[in-house]
Coordinates of all heavy atoms in Angstrom, one line a residue:
M16 N 63.8 -39.8 -55.1 CA 62.9 -38.9 -54.5 C 63.5 -38.2 -53.3 O 64.1 -38.9 -52.4 CB 61.6 -39.7 -54.0 CG 60.5 -38.9 -53.4 SD 59.1 -39.8 -52.9 CE 58.2 -40.1 -54.4
T17 N 63.4 -36.9 -53.2 CA 64.0 -36.2 -52.1 C 63.1 -36.4 -50.8 O 62.0 -36.8 -50.9 CB 64.1 -34.7 -52.4 OG1 62.8 -34.1 -52.4 CG2 64.9 -34.4 -53.6
L18 N 63.7 -36.0 -49.7 CA 62.9 -36.1 -48.4 C 61.7 -35.2 -48.5 O 60.6 -35.6 -48.1 CB 63.8 -35.8 -47.2 CG 63.2 -35.9 -45.9 CD1 62.6 -37.3 -45.6 CD2 64.2 -35.5 -44.8
E19 N 61.9 -34.0 -49.0 CA 60.8 -33.1 -49.1 C 59.7 -33.7 -50.0 O 58.5 -33.6 -49.7 CB 61.3 -31.8 -49.7 CG 60.3 -30.6 -49.7 CD 60.0 -30.1 -48.3 OE1 60.8 -30.1 -47.4 OE2 58.8 -29.7 -48.2
E20 N 60.0 -34.3 -51.1 CA 59.0 -34.9 -52.0 C 58.4 -36.1 -51.3 O 57.1 -36.3 -51.4 CB 59.7 -35.4 -53.3 CG 60.2 -34.3 -54.2 CD 61.1 -34.8 -55.3 OE1 61.8 -35.8 -55.2 OE2 61.1 -34.1 -56.4
R21 N 59.1 -36.8 -50.5 CA 58.5 -38.0 -49.7 C 57.5 -37.5 -48.8 O 56.4 -38.1 -48.6 CB 59.6 -38.7 -48.9 CG 60.4 -39.7 -49.8 CD 61.3 -40.4 -48.9 NE 62.4 -40.9 -49.6 CZ 63.4 -41.4 -49.1 NH1 63.5 -41.6 -47.8 NH2 64.4 -41.8 -49.9
V22 N 57.8 -36.4 -48.1 CA 56.8 -35.8 -47.1 C 55.6 -35.4 -47.8 O 54.5 -35.7 -47.4 CB 57.5 -34.7 -46.2 CG1 56.4 -34.0 -45.4 CG2 58.6 -35.3 -45.4
R23 N 55.7 -34.6 -48.9 CA 54.6 -34.1 -49.6 C 53.7 -35.3 -50.1 O 52.5 -35.3 -50.0 CB 55.0 -33.2 -50.8 CG 55.5 -31.9 -50.3 CD 55.6 -30.9 -51.5 NE 56.3 -31.3 -52.7 CZ 57.5 -31.1 -52.9 NH1 58.3 -30.4 -52.0 NH2 58.1 -31.5 -54.0
A24 N 54.4 -36.3 -50.6 CA 53.6 -37.5 -51.1 C 53.0 -38.2 -50.0 O 51.8 -38.7 -50.1 CB 54.6 -38.4 -51.9
A25 N 53.6 -38.3 -48.9 CA 53.0 -39.0 -47.7 C 51.8 -38.3 -47.2 O 50.8 -38.9 -46.9 CB 54.1 -39.2 -46.6
V26 N 51.9 -37.0 -47.1 CA 50.8 -36.2 -46.6 C 49.6 -36.3 -47.6 O 48.5 -36.5 -47.2 CB 51.2 -34.7 -46.4 CG1 49.9 -33.8 -46.2 CG2 52.2 -34.5 -45.3
A27 N 49.9 -36.3 -48.9 CA 48.8 -36.4 -49.9 C 48.2 -37.8 -49.8 O 47.0 -38.0 -49.8 CB 49.4 -36.3 -51.3
A28 N 49.0 -38.9 -49.6 CA 48.5 -40.2 -49.4 C 47.6 -40.3 -48.2 O 46.5 -41.0 -48.2 CB 49.6 -41.2 -49.4
L29 N 48.0 -39.7 -47.1 CA 47.3 -39.8 -45.9 C 45.9 -39.0 -46.0 O 44.9 -39.5 -45.5 CB 48.1 -39.2 -44.7 CG 49.3 -40.1 -44.3 CD1 50.2 -39.3 -43.3 CD2 48.8 -41.4 -43.7
M30 N 46.0 -37.9 -46.7 CA 44.7 -37.2 -46.9 C 43.8 -38.0 -47.7 O 42.6 -38.0 -47.4 CB 45.0 -35.8 -47.5 CG 45.6 -34.8 -46.6 SD 45.7 -33.1 -47.2 CE 46.5 -33.3 -48.8
H31 N 44.3 -38.6 -48.8 CA 43.5 -39.4 -49.6 C 42.9 -40.6 -48.9 O 41.7 -40.9 -49.0 CB 44.2 -39.9 -50.9 CG 43.5 -40.7 -51.8 ND1 42.5 -40.2 -52.6 CD2 43.5 -42.1 -52.0 CE1 41.9 -41.3 -53.3 NE2 42.5 -42.4 -52.9
A32 N 43.7 -41.3 -48.1 CA 43.3 -42.5 -47.4 C 42.2 -42.2 -46.3 O 41.4 -43.0 -46.0 CB 44.5 -43.2 -46.7
T33 N 42.3 -41.0 -45.7 CA 41.4 -40.6 -44.7 C 40.2 -39.8 -45.2 O 39.2 -39.6 -44.5 CB 42.1 -39.8 -43.6 OG1 42.6 -38.6 -44.1 CG2 43.1 -40.6 -42.9
G34 N 40.3 -39.3 -46.4 CA 39.2 -38.5 -47.0 C 39.3 -37.1 -46.4 O 38.4 -36.3 -46.6
E35 N 40.4 -36.7 -45.8 CA 40.6 -35.3 -45.3 C 41.1 -34.4 -46.4 O 41.7 -34.8 -47.4 CB 41.6 -35.3 -44.2 CG 41.0 -36.0 -42.9 CD 41.9 -35.8 -41.7 OE1 42.7 -34.9 -41.7 OE2 41.7 -36.5 -40.7
S36 N 40.8 -33.1 -46.2 CA 41.2 -32.1 -47.2 C 42.3 -31.3 -46.6 O 42.7 -31.5 -45.4 CB 40.0 -31.1 -47.4 OG 39.7 -30.4 -46.2
Q37 N 42.9 -30.4 -47.4 CA 43.9 -29.5 -46.8 C 43.4 -28.7 -45.7 O 44.1 -28.4 -44.8 CB 44.5 -28.6 -48.0 CG 45.4 -29.3 -48.9 CD 45.9 -28.4 -50.0 OE1 45.6 -27.2 -50.1 NE2 46.8 -29.0 -50.8
T38 N 42.1 -28.3 -45.8 CA 41.5 -27.5 -44.8 C 41.5 -28.3 -43.4 O 41.7 -27.7 -42.4 CB 40.1 -27.1 -45.2 OG1 40.2 -26.3 -46.4 CG2 39.4 -26.3 -44.1
D39 N 41.2 -29.6 -43.5 CA 41.1 -30.4 -42.3 C 42.5 -30.5 -41.7 O 42.7 -30.4 -40.5 CB 40.7 -31.8 -42.7 CG 39.2 -31.9 -43.2 OD1 38.4 -31.1 -42.7 OD2 39.0 -32.7 -44.1
V40 N 43.5 -30.7 -42.5 CA 44.9 -30.8 -42.0 C 45.3 -29.5 -41.4 O 45.9 -29.4 -40.4 CB 45.9 -31.3 -43.1 CG1 47.3 -31.2 -42.6 CG2 45.5 -32.7 -43.6
A41 N 45.0 -28.4 -42.1 CA 45.3 -27.1 -41.6 C 44.7 -26.8 -40.3 O 45.4 -26.3 -39.3 CB 44.9 -26.0 -42.6
A42 N 43.5 -27.2 -40.1 CA 42.8 -27.0 -38.8 C 43.5 -27.8 -37.7 O 43.7 -27.2 -36.6 CB 41.3 -27.4 -38.9
A43 N 43.9 -29.0 -38.0 CA 44.6 -29.8 -37.0 C 46.0 -29.2 -36.6 O 46.4 -29.4 -35.5 CB 44.8 -31.2 -37.5
L44 N 46.6 -28.5 -37.6 CA 47.9 -28.0 -37.3 C 47.9 -26.5 -36.8 O 48.9 -26.0 -36.5 CB 48.8 -28.0 -38.6 CG 49.0 -29.4 -39.2 CD1 49.8 -29.3 -40.5 CD2 49.7 -30.3 -38.2
G45 N 46.7 -25.9 -36.9 CA 46.6 -24.5 -36.5 C 47.2 -23.5 -37.5 O 47.7 -22.5 -37.1
V46 N 47.1 -23.9 -38.7 CA 47.6 -23.0 -39.8 C 46.5 -22.8 -40.8 O 45.4 -23.4 -40.7 CB 48.9 -23.5 -40.5 CG1 50.0 -23.7 -39.5 CG2 48.6 -24.8 -41.2
S47 N 46.7 -22.0 -41.8 CA 45.7 -21.8 -42.8 C 45.8 -22.9 -43.9 O 46.8 -23.5 -44.1 CB 45.8 -20.4 -43.5 OG 47.0 -20.4 -44.3
Q48 N 44.7 -23.0 -44.6 CA 44.7 -24.0 -45.8 C 45.7 -23.5 -46.8 O 46.4 -24.4 -47.4 CB 43.3 -24.0 -46.4 CG 43.1 -25.0 -47.6 CD 43.5 -24.3 -48.9 OE1 43.3 -23.1 -49.1 NE2 44.1 -25.1 -49.8
A49 N 45.9 -22.2 -47.0 CA 46.9 -21.7 -47.9 C 48.3 -22.1 -47.5 O 49.1 -22.4 -48.4 CB 46.8 -20.2 -48.0
Q50 N 48.6 -22.2 -46.3 CA 49.9 -22.6 -45.8 C 50.1 -24.1 -46.1 O 51.2 -24.5 -46.5 CB 50.1 -22.3 -44.3 CG 50.2 -20.9 -44.0 CD 50.2 -20.6 -42.5 OE1 49.3 -21.0 -41.8 NE2 51.3 -19.9 -42.1
V51 N 49.1 -24.9 -45.9 CA 49.2 -26.3 -46.3 C 49.4 -26.5 -47.8 O 50.2 -27.2 -48.2 CB 48.0 -27.1 -45.7 CG1 48.0 -28.6 -46.3 CG2 48.0 -27.1 -44.2
S52 N 48.6 -25.7 -48.5 CA 48.7 -25.7 -50.0 C 50.2 -25.4 -50.4 O 50.7 -26.1 -51.3 CB 47.7 -24.8 -50.6 OG 47.9 -24.8 -52.0
R53 N 50.7 -24.3 -49.9 CA 52.1 -24.0 -50.2 C 53.1 -25.1 -49.9 O 54.0 -25.3 -50.6 CB 52.5 -22.6 -49.5 CG 51.9 -21.4 -50.2 CD 52.5 -20.1 -49.7 NE 52.2 -19.8 -48.3 CZ 51.1 -19.3 -47.8 NH1 50.2 -18.9 -48.7 NH2 51.0 -19.0 -46.6
R54 N 52.9 -25.7 -48.7 CA 53.8 -26.8 -48.4 C 53.6 -28.0 -49.3 O 54.6 -28.6 -49.7 CB 53.5 -27.2 -46.9 CG 54.0 -26.2 -45.9 CD 53.6 -26.5 -44.5 NE 54.2 -25.5 -43.6 CZ 53.4 -24.8 -42.8 NH1 52.1 -24.9 -42.8 NH2 54.0 -23.9 -42.0
Q55 N 52.4 -28.3 -49.7 CA 52.1 -29.4 -50.6 C 52.6 -29.1 -52.0 O 52.9 -30.0 -52.7 CB 50.7 -29.8 -50.6 CG 50.3 -30.6 -49.3 CD 51.0 -31.9 -49.2 OE1 52.1 -32.0 -48.6 NE2 50.6 -32.9 -49.9
S56 N 52.6 -27.9 -52.4 CA 53.1 -27.6 -53.8 C 54.6 -27.4 -53.9 O 55.1 -27.4 -55.0 CB 52.4 -26.2 -54.3 OG 53.0 -25.1 -53.5
G57 N 55.2 -27.3 -52.7 CA 56.7 -27.2 -52.7 C 57.2 -25.8 -52.7 O 58.4 -25.6 -52.7
S58 N 56.3 -24.8 -52.6 CA 56.7 -23.4 -52.6 C 57.1 -23.1 -51.1 O 57.7 -22.0 -50.9 CB 55.7 -22.5 -53.1 OG 54.5 -22.5 -52.4
A59 N 56.8 -23.9 -50.2 CA 57.2 -23.7 -48.8 C 57.5 -25.2 -48.3 O 57.0 -26.1 -48.8 CB 56.1 -23.1 -47.9
A60 N 58.4 -25.2 -47.3 CA 58.8 -26.5 -46.8 C 58.1 -27.0 -45.6 O 57.6 -26.1 -44.8 CB 60.3 -26.5 -46.5
W61 N 57.9 -28.3 -45.4 CA 57.4 -28.8 -44.2 C 58.5 -28.8 -43.2 O 59.6 -29.4 -43.4 CB 56.9 -30.3 -44.4 CG 55.6 -30.4 -45.2 CD1 55.4 -30.7 -46.5 CD2 54.3 -30.2 -44.6 NE1 54.1 -30.7 -46.8 CE2 53.4 -30.5 -45.7 CE3 53.8 -29.9 -43.4 CZ2 52.0 -30.4 -45.5 CZ3 52.4 -29.8 -43.2 CH2 51.5 -30.1 -44.3
S62 N 58.3 -28.2 -42.0 CA 59.4 -28.2 -41.0 C 59.3 -29.5 -40.2 O 58.3 -30.2 -40.4 CB 59.1 -27.0 -40.1 OG 58.0 -27.2 -39.2
L63 N 60.3 -29.8 -39.4 CA 60.3 -31.0 -38.6 C 59.1 -30.9 -37.6 O 58.4 -31.9 -37.3 CB 61.6 -31.2 -37.9 CG 62.8 -31.6 -38.8 CD1 64.0 -31.7 -37.9 CD2 62.5 -32.9 -39.4
A64 N 58.8 -29.7 -37.1 CA 57.7 -29.5 -36.2 C 56.4 -29.8 -36.9 O 55.5 -30.4 -36.3 CB 57.7 -28.1 -35.6
D65 N 56.3 -29.4 -38.1 CA 55.1 -29.7 -38.9 C 54.9 -31.2 -39.1 O 53.8 -31.7 -39.0 CB 55.2 -29.0 -40.3 CG 55.1 -27.5 -40.4 OD1 54.5 -26.9 -39.5 OD2 55.7 -27.0 -41.3
C66 N 56.0 -31.8 -39.5 CA 56.0 -33.3 -39.7 C 55.6 -34.0 -38.4 O 54.8 -35.0 -38.5 CB 57.4 -33.8 -40.2 SG 57.8 -33.2 -41.8
D67 N 56.1 -33.5 -37.3 CA 55.7 -34.2 -36.0 C 54.2 -34.0 -35.8 O 53.5 -34.9 -35.4 CB 56.5 -33.5 -34.9 CG 56.4 -34.3 -33.6 OD1 56.4 -35.6 -33.7 OD2 56.4 -33.7 -32.5
A68 N 53.7 -32.8 -36.1 CA 52.3 -32.5 -35.9 C 51.4 -33.3 -36.8 O 50.3 -33.8 -36.4 CB 52.0 -31.0 -36.0
V69 N 51.8 -33.4 -38.1 CA 51.0 -34.1 -39.1 C 51.0 -35.6 -38.7 O 49.9 -36.2 -38.7 CB 51.6 -34.0 -40.5 CG1 51.0 -35.0 -41.5 CG2 51.4 -32.6 -41.0
A70 N 52.1 -36.1 -38.3 CA 52.2 -37.5 -37.9 C 51.3 -37.8 -36.7 O 50.5 -38.8 -36.7 CB 53.6 -37.9 -37.6
E71 N 51.3 -36.9 -35.7 CA 50.4 -37.0 -34.5 C 49.0 -37.0 -34.9 O 48.1 -37.8 -34.5 CB 50.7 -36.0 -33.5 CG 49.9 -36.1 -32.2 CD 50.3 -35.0 -31.2 OE1 51.4 -34.5 -31.3 OE2 49.4 -34.8 -30.3
H72 N 48.6 -36.0 -35.8 CA 47.3 -35.9 -36.3 C 46.7 -37.2 -36.9 O 45.6 -37.6 -36.7 CB 47.1 -34.7 -37.3 CG 45.8 -34.7 -38.0 ND1 44.7 -34.3 -37.3 CD2 45.5 -34.9 -39.3 CE1 43.6 -34.4 -38.2 NE2 44.1 -34.7 -39.4
F73 N 47.6 -37.8 -37.7 CA 47.1 -39.1 -38.4 C 47.4 -40.3 -37.6 O 47.0 -41.4 -38.0 CB 47.8 -39.2 -39.8 CG 47.3 -38.2 -40.8 CD1 48.0 -37.1 -41.2 CD2 46.0 -38.4 -41.3 CE1 47.5 -36.3 -42.2 CE2 45.5 -37.5 -42.3 CZ 46.2 -36.5 -42.7
G74 N 48.0 -40.2 -36.4 CA 48.2 -41.3 -35.5 C 49.3 -42.2 -36.0 O 49.3 -43.5 -35.8
I75 N 50.4 -41.7 -36.6 CA 51.5 -42.5 -37.1 C 52.8 -41.9 -36.5 O 52.8 -40.8 -36.0 CB 51.6 -42.5 -38.6 CG1 51.9 -41.2 -39.2 CG2 50.3 -43.1 -39.2 CD1 52.3 -41.2 -40.7
D76 N 53.9 -42.7 -36.6 CA 55.2 -42.2 -36.1 C 55.7 -41.2 -37.1 O 55.6 -41.5 -38.3 CB 56.1 -43.4 -35.9 CG 57.4 -43.1 -35.3 OD1 58.3 -42.6 -36.0 OD2 57.5 -43.3 -34.0
P77 N 56.4 -40.2 -36.7 CA 57.0 -39.2 -37.6 C 58.0 -39.9 -38.6 O 58.0 -39.5 -39.8 CB 57.7 -38.2 -36.7 CG 57.0 -38.3 -35.4 CD 56.6 -39.7 -35.3
L78 N 58.7 -40.9 -38.2 CA 59.6 -41.6 -39.1 C 58.8 -42.3 -40.2 O 59.3 -42.4 -41.4 CB 60.4 -42.6 -38.3 CG 61.4 -42.0 -37.4 CD1 62.2 -43.1 -36.6 CD2 62.4 -41.1 -38.1
D79 N 57.6 -42.8 -40.0 CA 56.8 -43.4 -41.0 C 56.4 -42.3 -42.1 O 56.3 -42.6 -43.3 CB 55.6 -44.1 -40.5 CG 55.9 -45.3 -39.7 OD1 56.8 -46.0 -40.1 OD2 55.2 -45.6 -38.7
L80 N 56.1 -41.1 -41.6 CA 55.8 -40.0 -42.5 C 57.0 -39.7 -43.4 O 56.9 -39.5 -44.6 CB 55.4 -38.7 -41.7 CG 55.0 -37.5 -42.5 CD1 53.7 -37.7 -43.2 CD2 55.0 -36.3 -41.7
L81 N 58.2 -39.6 -42.8 CA 59.4 -39.3 -43.5 C 59.8 -40.4 -44.5 O 60.5 -40.1 -45.4 CB 60.5 -39.0 -42.5 CG 60.4 -37.8 -41.6 CD1 61.5 -37.7 -40.6 CD2 60.2 -36.5 -42.4
A82 N 59.3 -41.6 -44.2 CA 59.7 -42.7 -45.1 C 59.0 -42.7 -46.4 O 59.4 -43.4 -47.4 CB 59.5 -44.0 -44.4
G83 N 57.9 -41.9 -46.5 CA 57.2 -41.8 -47.8 C 55.8 -42.3 -47.7 O 55.3 -42.8 -46.7
P84 N 55.1 -42.2 -48.9 CA 53.6 -42.5 -48.9 C 53.3 -44.0 -48.6 O 52.3 -44.2 -47.9 CB 53.2 -42.1 -50.3 CG 54.5 -42.1 -51.1 CD 55.6 -41.8 -50.2
T85 N 54.0 -44.9 -49.0 CA 53.7 -46.3 -48.8 C 53.8 -46.6 -47.3 O 52.8 -47.2 -46.7 CB 54.6 -47.3 -49.6 OG1 54.4 -47.0 -51.0 CG2 54.2 -48.7 -49.4
R86 N 54.9 -46.3 -46.7 CA 55.1 -46.5 -45.3 C 54.1 -45.8 -44.4 O 53.5 -46.3 -43.5 CB 56.5 -46.2 -44.9 CG 56.9 -46.4 -43.5 CD 57.4 -47.8 -43.3 NE 58.1 -47.9 -42.0 CZ 59.4 -47.6 -41.8 NH1 60.2 -47.4 -42.9 NH2 60.0 -47.7 -40.7
A87 N 53.8 -44.5 -44.8 CA 52.8 -43.7 -44.0 C 51.4 -44.3 -44.1 O 50.8 -44.5 -43.1 CB 52.8 -42.3 -44.6
F88 N 51.0 -44.8 -45.3 CA 49.7 -45.4 -45.4 C 49.7 -46.7 -44.6 O 48.7 -47.0 -44.0 CB 49.4 -45.7 -46.9 CG 48.1 -46.5 -47.1 CD1 46.9 -45.8 -47.0 CD2 48.2 -47.9 -47.3 CE1 45.7 -46.6 -47.1 CE2 47.0 -48.6 -47.4 CZ 45.8 -47.9 -47.4
E89 N 50.7 -47.5 -44.7 CA 50.7 -48.8 -44.0 C 50.7 -48.6 -42.5 O 50.1 -49.4 -41.7 CB 52.0 -49.6 -44.3 CG 52.0 -50.1 -45.7 CD 53.3 -50.7 -46.2 OE1 54.3 -50.6 -45.5 OE2 53.3 -51.4 -47.3
A90 N 51.2 -47.5 -42.0 CA 51.2 -47.2 -40.5 C 49.9 -46.5 -40.1 O 49.6 -46.5 -38.9 CB 52.4 -46.2 -40.2
L91 N 49.1 -46.1 -41.0 CA 47.8 -45.4 -40.7 C 46.9 -46.4 -40.0 O 46.6 -47.5 -40.5 CB 47.2 -44.9 -41.9 CG 45.9 -44.0 -41.8 CD1 46.2 -42.7 -41.1 CD2 45.3 -43.7 -43.1
P92 N 46.4 -46.0 -38.8 CA 45.5 -47.0 -38.1 C 44.3 -47.2 -38.9 O 43.7 -46.3 -39.6 CB 45.1 -46.2 -36.8 CG 46.2 -45.2 -36.6 CD 46.7 -44.8 -38.0
E93 N 43.8 -48.5 -38.9 CA 42.7 -48.9 -39.7 C 41.5 -48.0 -39.4 O 40.7 -47.7 -40.4 CB 42.4 -50.4 -39.4 CG 41.3 -51.0 -40.3 CD 41.8 -51.2 -41.7 OE1 43.0 -51.5 -41.9 OE2 41.0 -51.0 -42.6
E94 N 41.2 -47.6 -38.2 CA 40.0 -46.8 -37.9 C 40.1 -45.4 -38.5 O 39.1 -44.7 -38.6 CB 39.8 -46.8 -36.4 CG 40.9 -46.1 -35.6 CD 42.0 -47.0 -35.1 OE1 42.0 -48.2 -35.6 OE2 42.8 -46.5 -34.3
R95 N 41.3 -45.0 -38.9 CA 41.4 -43.6 -39.6 C 41.1 -43.7 -41.1 O 40.9 -42.7 -41.7 CB 42.8 -43.1 -39.3 CG 43.1 -42.6 -38.0 CD 42.3 -41.4 -37.5 NE 42.1 -40.4 -38.4 CZ 42.8 -39.3 -38.5 NH1 43.9 -39.2 -37.8 NH2 42.5 -38.4 -39.4
R96 N 41.2 -44.9 -41.6 CA 41.0 -45.0 -43.1 C 39.5 -44.9 -43.4 O 38.6 -45.5 -42.8 CB 41.5 -46.4 -43.6 CG 43.0 -46.5 -43.3 CD 43.5 -47.8 -43.7 NE 44.9 -48.0 -43.3 CZ 45.7 -49.0 -43.5 NH1 45.2 -50.0 -44.2 NH2 46.9 -49.0 -43.1
R97 N 39.2 -44.2 -44.5 CA 37.9 -44.1 -44.9 C 37.4 -45.4 -45.5 O 38.2 -46.2 -46.1 CB 37.6 -42.9 -45.9 CG 38.3 -43.1 -47.3 CD 38.0 -41.9 -48.1 NE 38.9 -42.0 -49.3 CZ 38.8 -41.1 -50.3 NH1 37.9 -40.2 -50.3 NH2 39.7 -41.2 -51.3
R98 N 36.1 -45.6 -45.4 CA 35.6 -46.9 -45.9 C 35.2 -46.7 -47.4 O 34.5 -45.7 -47.7 CB 34.4 -47.3 -45.1 CG 34.6 -47.4 -43.7 CD 35.4 -48.7 -43.4 NE 35.7 -48.9 -42.0 CZ 36.9 -48.8 -41.5 NH1 37.9 -48.6 -42.2 NH2 37.0 -49.0 -40.2
P99 N 35.6 -47.6 -48.3 CA 35.2 -47.4 -49.7 C 33.7 -47.7 -49.8 O 33.2 -48.5 -49.0 CB 36.0 -48.5 -50.4 CG 36.5 -49.4 -49.3 CD 36.5 -48.7 -48.0
A100 N 33.1 -47.1 -50.7 CA 31.7 -47.4 -51.0 C 31.5 -48.8 -51.5 O 32.3 -49.2 -52.3 CB 31.1 -46.4 -52.0
R101 N 30.5 -49.4 -51.0 CA 30.3 -50.8 -51.4 C 29.4 -50.8 -52.7 O 28.4 -50.0 -52.7 CB 29.6 -51.6 -50.3 CG 30.5 -51.8 -49.1 CD 29.8 -52.7 -48.1 NE 28.6 -52.1 -47.7 CZ 27.8 -52.6 -46.8 NH1 28.1 -53.8 -46.2 NH2 26.6 -52.0 -46.4
R102 N 29.7 -51.6 -53.6 CA 28.9 -51.7 -54.8 C 27.6 -52.4 -54.5 O 27.5 -53.3 -53.7 CB 29.6 -52.4 -55.9 CG 30.8 -51.6 -56.4 CD 31.5 -52.3 -57.5 NE 32.5 -51.5 -58.0 CZ 33.1 -51.7 -59.1 NH1 32.9 -52.8 -59.8 NH2 34.1 -50.9 -59.6
G103 N 26.5 -52.0 -55.2 CA 25.3 -52.7 -55.1 C 24.5 -52.3 -53.9 O 23.5 -52.9 -53.6
T104 N 24.9 -51.3 -53.1 CA 24.2 -50.9 -51.9 C 23.4 -49.6 -52.1 O 22.7 -49.2 -51.2 CB 25.2 -50.7 -50.7 OG1 26.1 -49.7 -51.1 CG2 25.8 -52.0 -50.4
A105 N 23.4 -49.0 -53.3 CA 22.7 -47.8 -53.5 C 21.2 -48.1 -53.5 O 20.8 -49.2 -54.0 CB 23.1 -47.2 -54.9
R106 N 20.5 -47.2 -52.9 CA 19.0 -47.4 -52.9 C 18.4 -47.0 -54.3 O 18.8 -46.1 -54.9 CB 18.4 -46.6 -51.8 CG 18.8 -47.0 -50.5 CD 18.1 -46.3 -49.4 NE 17.3 -45.2 -49.8 CZ 17.0 -44.2 -49.0 NH1 17.4 -44.1 -47.8 NH2 16.3 -43.2 -49.4
A107 N 17.5 -47.8 -54.7 CA 16.8 -47.5 -55.9 C 15.8 -46.3 -55.7 O 15.3 -46.2 -54.7 CB 16.0 -48.7 -56.4
L108 N 15.7 -45.5 -56.7 CA 14.8 -44.4 -56.7 C 13.4 -44.9 -56.8 O 13.2 -45.9 -57.5 CB 15.1 -43.4 -57.8 CG 16.4 -42.7 -57.7 CD1 16.6 -41.8 -59.0 CD2 16.5 -41.8 -56.5
P109 N 12.5 -44.3 -56.1 CA 11.1 -44.7 -56.2 C 10.6 -44.6 -57.6 O 10.9 -43.6 -58.3 CB 10.3 -43.9 -55.2 CG 11.2 -42.8 -54.9 CD 12.6 -43.2 -55.2
Q110 N 9.8 -45.5 -58.1 CA 9.3 -45.4 -59.5 C 8.1 -44.6 -59.5 O 7.2 -44.6 -58.6 CB 9.0 -46.8 -60.0 CG 10.2 -47.7 -59.9 CD 10.3 -48.6 -61.2 OE1 9.3 -48.7 -61.9 NE2 11.4 -49.3 -61.3
R111 N 8.0 -43.7 -60.5 CA 6.9 -42.9 -60.7 C 5.8 -43.7 -61.4 O 6.1 -44.5 -62.3 CB 7.2 -41.6 -61.5 CG 8.1 -40.7 -60.8 CD 8.4 -39.5 -61.6 NE 9.2 -38.6 -60.9 CZ 9.6 -37.4 -61.3 NH1 9.1 -37.0 -62.4 NH2 10.4 -36.7 -60.6
E112 N 4.6 -43.3 -61.1 CA 3.5 -44.0 -61.8 C 3.3 -43.3 -63.2 O 3.5 -42.1 -63.3 CB 2.2 -43.8 -61.0 CG 2.2 -44.6 -59.7 CD 0.8 -44.4 -59.0 OE1 -0.2 -44.2 -59.7 OE2 0.8 -44.5 -57.8
A113 N 3.0 -44.1 -64.1 CA 2.8 -43.6 -65.5 C 1.5 -42.8 -65.5 O 0.5 -43.1 -64.8 CB 2.6 -44.8 -66.5
P114 N 1.5 -41.7 -66.3 CA 0.3 -40.9 -66.3 C -0.8 -41.7 -67.0 O -0.6 -42.5 -67.9 CB 0.7 -39.7 -67.2 CG 2.0 -40.0 -67.8 CD 2.6 -41.2 -67.0
P115 N -2.1 -41.4 -66.6 CA -3.2 -42.2 -67.2 C -3.5 -41.9 -68.6 O -3.1 -41.1 -69.3 CB -4.4 -41.7 -66.3 CG -4.0 -40.6 -65.5 CD -2.5 -40.5 -65.6

């Protein structure tokens, strides 16, 4: 895996783990969603400045971002991770009365 692929995979893993979208990351970086999309698709490169800003946004060290998705996820602060939905906690819909 190339360094560029590692960064793209790490950014994708961090977005998934936090529940953030490309739009959220773009807003944090001060760029458009299209620019993040191009970087994530590989048609544009993540610069070192971008990597530094992404790492800061997610609260991790830039070296953890460069190390790839596993290391980036492990470095992600617990409070930044989205909470999985708990099973069995959905509220039941009210029952309708049968017509007379």
